[in-house]
Amino acid sequence: MAKILVTEDSIYMRRVVTTMVREAGHTVVEAADGDECLRQIAAESPDLLLLDLVMPGRDGLSVLGELAKSESSLPVVVLSADIQESVRRGCLELGAKAFLNKPPKKEALLAAIRQALGEANRDTER
Amino acid sequence: MILSDNQRDVIQELFNIGAGRAAAMLNDFVQQRVELQVPEVYLCADRDEAIRWVQETLRNQNLAVVQMGFDGDMTGSASLAFSRRSAHLLASMLGDGGGKPDEALDAIGESVLIEVGNVLMSGVMGTLGNMLRVEVHYQVPLFLRHGVEMMVADGGDCAFLVARTKLSLADLEMEGVIIVLFSLRSHDAFLDAVDRCLEAS
């Protein structure tokens, strides 16, 4: 099981997502905005990042940009209410492994996490 | 600034499709059938007229309102308003929160409403953005604590295109309204995109 950093400014949505992830047996670390997310990545070394986009302060796109700049291998799954194709494409171009829309469906979320972790493990073995 | 019948028709239809997407998303949250009224679109000559229109739409002042500003190729704000009773019901269904029905929403209740608003309004605006091939950038959604004047940005000399649709969940006796206000200036990117859509049809 993996350590997953859930970055989401909504208390409610953070609770929904962390419950789904914990029930699948993963450990959860939380962040409420982009700056806290980057601090938690440095402090907790998570295996995967679940990332909201629109947040106060540093937003999700900025976090993705920082991770791309530092050539981080941390797999990222974006979970956003934004349904614009251009935004989805932009996130994937910045290195996100998957882009899911809210409200999250548990099966789809856990499948995206499994796939992103699997891809990350294969990348590490190469 | 005059909005042609064809432009109004395109906007109303795109808003209708966006509201349908939002209704499907609300259905995902609550697992209940969501019904939509036919959307209405108006052009308000200035901010005062837009404020009067919002006040007339939200005659019931005992509302819980979430607002999300947007900019990019379209500028304005989207709002989701529920009666207090509906807001408390939603909060208790989704977040085990809400507080007492005759009091203000608690923190969890507000968080539920903000997130539902975020998803629904992004559904409406994202649909418009995708279909018109324009980009929309969202601001962080807020729980509105002040008067409806706050829903209408003071953007200087501009007209407001306003759209609304009412949604209801009959089984839960829950009602809400989605309101979108676009700030329009001459040679507006949004209306240019509507014209391109018309030319392509």
Side-chain angles (χ1 to χ4, degrees), chain A residues 8-16 52-57 59 61 79-89 101-105, chain B residues 21 25 28-29 68 94-97 107-108 111-112 115-116 118-119 122-127 129-130 134-141:
Chain A
E8 166 66 62
D9 62 319
S10 162
I11 305 167
Y12 159 64
M13 190 51 71
R14 210 161 61 232
R15 201 164 73 176
V16 168
D52 185 19
L53 289 184
V54 178
M55 296 183 285
D59 63 17
L61 275 177
L79 183 58
S80 173
D82 199 329
I83 62 167
Q84 295 179 88
E85 282 306 316
S86 56
V87 173
R88 174 189 294 268
R89 207 166 42 243
N101 280 127
K102 295 178 183 176
K105 291 191 170 65
Chain B
R21 169 94 196 213
M25 291 165 149
D28 282 348
F29 272 113
M68 186 169 76
L94 298 180
D96 300 327
I108 288 288
S111 178
V112 168
E115 195 57 16
V116 169
N118 177 26
V119 170
S122 299
V124 174
M125 299 311 302
T127 300
N130 282 341
V134 296
E135 288 216 9
V136 193
H137 305 140
Y138 302 116
Q139 291 156 18
V140 176

Side-chain angles (χ1 to χ4, degrees), chain A residues 55-119:
Chain A
M55 296 183 285
R58 186 189 289 274
D59 63 17
L61 275 177
S62 171
V63 170
L64 275 175
E66 284 295 318
L67 294 176
K69 204 162 68 180
S70 64
E71 298 182 354
S72 166
S73 59
L74 176 65
V76 182
V77 173
V78 173
L79 183 58
S80 173
D82 199 329
I83 62 167
Q84 295 179 88
E85 282 306 316
S86 56
V87 173
R88 174 189 294 268
R89 207 166 42 243
C91 288
L92 297 177
E93 283 169 4
L94 278 171
K97 296 285 188 191
F99 185 105
L100 302 179
N101 280 127
K102 295 178 183 176
K105 291 191 170 65
K106 187 175 179 180
E107 298 74 24
L109 177 67
L110 296 180
I113 289 172
R114 271 196 306 274
Q115 188 170 353
L117 286 170
E119 284 178 20

